[in-house]
Amino acid sequence: MSIIARLSSWRWADRAHPWVRRWGVPLFCAAVGVTSILASTDKSRGAEDLALIVVLAVPLLWRERRPMLVFALTTATAVLTTYAGSLHGASASADVARLVALFNVGRFATPGRLLVALAISLAQLVAWSAGLSGDSPAAYPARPELRMLLGMVTVTAIAGLGLATRLVNVVIAALQREKDQQARLSVAQERARVSKEMHDILGHTLAVVVSLADGAAGLTEAKPQRGAETLRLIADSGRGALAELQRLLAVIDDDNDRPHGAPRAPQPGLADLDPLIERVRAAGPSITLDIDGDLTALTPGLQLAVYRIVQEALTNTLKYAAADTSSSVRVTVGPGMVHIDVEDTGPFRTPRSRRRSTGSGRGLIAMRERAAIYQGQVTAGPNREGGWSIHVRLLTAPPSP
């Protein structure tokens, strides 16, 4: 586990149980002082030392909300009692309380205030060392100058540690925000993908159903058997669309939502082109399908892209061309490339003034976006026969650098 990840886990654990750290630090400060009192041979000032320990430890409960105020209180208490000669056994608690307060100034206060607090702490060390220099050298195991230097290094290190902790928290928060943004971006991309898939499925199926329903309306009286067959085709198209929607929604569901861990149904591929063509033929147009090349060599994703592009092109034919139009679909698999050609002979279902370009354009946009995934191109426009032609070129392998 990386250092950032470990620090992040500790940060989340601290947020889950904030009372542990809030109360733990003051109790530790008090425990250090009580231990010093118990180890001391002078028991005459025990009650006074305990009172001073409480005065030093209790403000630490607000060290994060009011870091400068807590630093001022602990520092003033320690200084006043030291010069009054009444600190004694509480000196250990005073040192811990001042260091904790300085550390939290580094974590939660501005850098300017941290410099002020550090300067005050260093000045106290200098004054303390000057006071020791007048005492007997035998009373201390080390020279006052050396003790002052060690103290200054310790105090500076504590202030730097507080500032470093603050910077680490800023980095962790930034990484978490980036992670959240990536998650939201992934959700948006998934929703866009699902929207495109649903547009392809519903747009094609509804176009087929509308065309079949138009034909069935005139056949129910003249040719009841043919009308019944048309209605069955409508039902089959609806069931097929429902199955594809369920398959699509299963992709975005969690694995636990699928019964007994059942595998997801596969997306349609080139093997499903024949049933697609049959459904469109049933709606009226005459369609020929010509496949040249080895389809099994294509990846599932590329097969899905080819299927959706053909589906979208035929959907446009059903929407905009007359019912008696004829269409041709040709899929050519060549070295490193797939060509898709879909043409119809027209004429347009609507007047010339309302050509296909006046539609929403979502179908053509969807085809171009699918082609762009495979570094492909889409060309669409009217042909010489009065109909519409779509040519798509897809790469089966990434372009060489």
Side-chain angles (χ1 to χ4, degrees):
M1 181 184 293
S2 65
I3 296 177
I4 295 295
R6 187 178 296 277
L7 291 176
S8 180
S9 64
W10 290 347
R11 185 166 177 257
W12 282 111
D14 179 63
R15 286 186 173 184
H17 307 284
W19 60 271
V20 175
R21 179 169 49 83
R22 184 185 180 191
W23 289 91
V25 172
L27 290 176
F28 173 76
C29 177
V32 170
V34 171
T35 302
S36 298
I37 294 174
L38 295 178
S40 176
T41 56
D42 186 9
K43 308 293 184 181
S44 60
R45 304 176 63 92
E48 184 178 349
D49 287 339
L50 288 176
L52 287 174
I53 289 174
V54 172
V55 172
L56 290 167
V58 169
L60 296 181
L61 293 172
W62 293 273
R63 63 191 181 277
E64 297 181 2
R65 296 182 180 179
R66 299 288 186 270
M68 284 301 295
L69 178 59
V70 172
F71 174 80
L73 290 175
T74 54
T75 300
T77 302
V79 170
L80 291 176
T81 52
T82 298
Y83 285 100
S86 58
L87 197 57
H88 300 286
S91 60
S93 289
D95 293 338
V96 172
R98 292 161 67 182
L99 292 177
V100 169
L102 180 62
F103 173 78
N104 282 276
V105 170
R107 283 189 63 192
F108 300 104
T110 62
R113 292 185 176 182
L114 176 62
L115 289 177
V116 172
L118 180 59
I120 293 174
S121 299
L122 294 178
Q124 291 174 354
L125 284 173
V126 173
W128 172 76
S129 177
L132 291 181
S133 61
D135 295 339
S136 172
Y140 303 100
R143 294 169 55 186
E145 294 81 4
L146 181 59
R147 299 183 67 180
M148 180 189 69
L149 180 61
L150 293 176
M152 293 177 70
V153 171
T154 301
V155 168
T156 304
I158 291 297
L161 181 61
L163 183 60
T165 303
R166 179 180 182 178
L167 295 177
V168 168
N169 288 335
V170 170
V171 171
I172 292 175
L175 292 176
Q176 186 62 42
R177 285 194 298 271
E178 182 180 359
K179 182 179 178 181
D180 294 340
Q181 290 174 355
Q182 290 293 335
R184 288 193 293 268
L185 180 60
S186 298
V187 171
Q189 291 175 343
E190 181 68 11
R191 287 178 178 176
R193 186 188 69 82
V194 171
S195 176
K196 293 174 185 176
E197 294 289 339
M198 293 182 69
H199 169 265
D200 292 340
I201 295 170
L202 294 179
H204 169 75
T205 304
L206 289 178
V208 172
V209 168
V210 169
S211 297
L212 290 174
D214 288 341
L219 292 173
T220 51
E221 295 182 1
K223 298 180 181 179
Q225 184 176 359
R226 182 71 180 277
E229 293 177 357
T230 304
L231 293 175
R232 281 193 290 270
L233 288 173
I234 292 175
D236 291 340
S237 298
R239 280 192 291 268
L242 181 59
E244 287 199 47
L245 287 176
Q246 291 174 342
R247 187 162 50 202
L248 175 63
L249 295 177
V251 174
I252 60 176
D253 285 340
D254 294 332
D255 290 341
N256 294 332
D257 293 338
R258 289 182 283 123
H260 306 291
R264 294 188 178 105
Q267 291 283 5
L270 295 184
D272 300 298
L273 282 179
D274 286 329
L276 172 66
I277 297 298
E278 290 299 327
R279 289 198 301 267
V280 179
R281 282 175 182 160
S286 174
I287 302 176
T288 60
L289 174 63
D290 185 12
I291 298 178
D292 184 12
D294 184 13
L295 302 182
T296 60
L298 302 180
T299 63
L302 186 54
Q303 292 190 32
L304 175 62
V306 174
Y307 178 90
R308 293 303 187 200
I309 289 172
V310 173
Q311 183 186 52
E312 186 61 46
L314 294 178
T315 300
N316 288 338
T317 297
L318 288 173
K319 286 181 179 179
Y320 300 108
D324 58 348
T325 187
S326 60
S327 302
S328 63
V329 178
R330 180 178 179 83
V331 180
T332 305
V333 181
M337 193 170 296
V338 178
H339 292 272
I340 307 168
D341 294 284
V342 182
E343 297 184 355
D344 64 63
T345 59
F348 291 104
R349 184 187 299 268
T350 56
R352 286 284 183 177
S353 59
R354 298 177 58 191
R355 303 180 72 87
R356 297 189 192 191
S357 59
T358 61
S360 65
R362 288 196 59 184
L364 189 57
I365 293 174
M367 283 191 282
R368 285 174 175 164
E369 289 183 353
R370 289 186 183 278
I373 297 176
Y374 296 94
Q375 294 81 40
Q377 295 180 349
V378 177
T379 304
N383 54 37
R384 296 179 180 178
E385 299 180 0
W388 198 262
S389 298
I390 295 177
H391 175 71
V392 182
R393 184 187 64 183
L394 307 176
L395 297 183
T396 59
S400 58

